Amino acid sequence: MANISSSTRVTYPQGATSGLSTVLLAKPHGGDPSRLIIVTEETPFHPVDHTWPDQPADVGTLTVDGTALGVSDVVTGAIQDGSEELKLDKDIPVKKGADGWHFVVAHIIDAADAAPESLVGQTASFAVDPTHRRLLSAAHSACHIAALALNKCTAHLWRKDALKDSLGHPNLDQLAMQVSKIKTSESLDHYRFGKSVRKQGLDSAAFLEQIGSVEECMNRQLEDWLKTESSIWIETPHPGLDARRMWHCDLPDGAANIPCGGTHLNNIKEFSSIRVNFELLPGVPEVLMHTVPRLGDETTPST
């Protein structure tokens, strides 16, 4: 195994979909010689995060020595100093930033005829599918913007002072969130309005009673925000995969920011619309929020 002494440098936070880098590691995936794990010094491929797998992996190809290899999955990996064992995805025992651990992007490729030992040290060329990336980026940006609208439109339902978002509203999105999933066609956020969020001060019964008016308020707010040219960007302290990145958006209400490791659009004006609708789950105080973005260009979300 190559000596991996630092985390993978990632370029997707800046929107990159191509690039060149040296192969550091190539090995069979799970003992299957037809699938390989490839780790490089740098990559534009966005991997699934092992702790909060909300955004799916990028798709595309990795080309080495003139042979294009299909990337079937991209996951987070980690290796400890002094070890030759690469941990993948849910088998990673530590959080990003743990001392003595390096976090890497593990490209899973279909390569029945590729000899792993021949790939190490060679230059890999990357090509991320730009349409797939753009759709995921749109859904992820819309997810954050909708969360801010949710917090604003439910601010009147809090009976106690609670954790605030960056715009100064009680952060219902963070306090009630259970699971978030980013798709090419929408984002799907699962909220629970049980004892925990009630203890924080939310009048959960009032929220469930007023859910229709909250939805209307949010969609009006989203329409207003989309009339602006609000910049979106990712702040990162360093290019390593283990960096704590921050999503920013200059909204008319103020400078919004949310911790995020995903990919995003560059400006709100790229949307033609963002619409939300709530789905009440039967028998439990839980709600699914569907956030559906539409882009102003020819890119059409898939199902």
Side-chain angles (χ1 to χ4, degrees), residues 46-262:
H46 174 271
V48 177
D49 188 271
H50 70 296
T51 57
W52 188 252
D54 57 343
Q55 181 170 331
D58 281 330
V59 297
T61 59
L62 186 156
T63 299
V64 181
D65 197 23
T67 300
L69 306 169
V71 179
S72 60
D73 200 3
V74 193
V75 300
T76 301
I79 187 167
Q80 190 174 21
D81 279 333
S83 173
E84 294 191 351
E85 184 179 5
L86 178 66
K87 301 287 189 178
L88 293 180
D89 198 33
K90 298 301 182 184
D91 291 334
I92 297 174
V94 295
K95 294 182 178 180
K96 289 179 182 176
D99 288 342
W101 286 82
H102 308 297
F103 284 78
V104 300
V105 176
H107 309 82
I108 312 301
I109 66 169
D110 301 315
D113 300 324
E117 62 274 8
S118 70
L119 301 178
V120 176
Q122 296 206 50
T123 298
S125 173
F126 305 100
V128 174
D129 183 323
T131 299
H132 186 259
R133 161 74 70 78
R134 182 164 168 75
L135 292 173
L136 290 175
S137 296
H140 208 152
S141 293
C143 175
H144 288 341
I145 296 165
L148 294 166
L150 171 66
N151 294 343
K152 182 176 181 179
C153 288
T154 56
H156 65 288
L157 297 175
W158 291 85
R159 298 172 297 193
K160 294 194 295 187
D161 192 30
L163 175 73
K164 300 291 197 300
D165 67 16
S166 55
L167 297 181
H169 302 121
N171 201 336
L172 175 59
D173 174 73
Q174 181 175 333
L175 294 172
M177 173 70 69
Q178 300 299 300
V179 178
S180 181
K181 292 294 182 184
I182 307 300
K183 303 181 180 181
T184 54
S185 57
E186 66 172 355
S187 67
L188 185 62
D189 295 295
H190 184 171
Y191 298 105
R192 178 171 176 79
F193 296 93
K195 182 177 180 180
S196 176
V197 73
R198 289 197 302 271
K199 288 179 64 176
Q200 296 286 339
L202 178 73
D203 187 341
S204 297
F207 171 82
L208 296 173
E209 290 170 1
Q210 300 175 31
I211 194 167
S213 61
V214 171
E215 182 180 300
E216 291 176 5
C217 172
M218 290 178 63
N219 282 319
R220 287 196 302 269
Q221 181 61 75
L222 292 168
E223 287 180 5
D224 287 344
W225 281 342
L226 263 58
K227 294 174 184 176
T228 68
E229 293 191 4
S230 300
S231 297
I232 297 171
W233 75 97
I234 301 298
E235 177 187 7
T236 180
H238 60 80
L241 177 62
D242 55 348
R244 180 176 171 81
R245 291 179 287 278
M246 187 74 70
W247 175 89
H248 290 270
C249 185
D250 284 331
L251 292 171
D253 297 48
N257 59 77
I258 296 174
C260 182

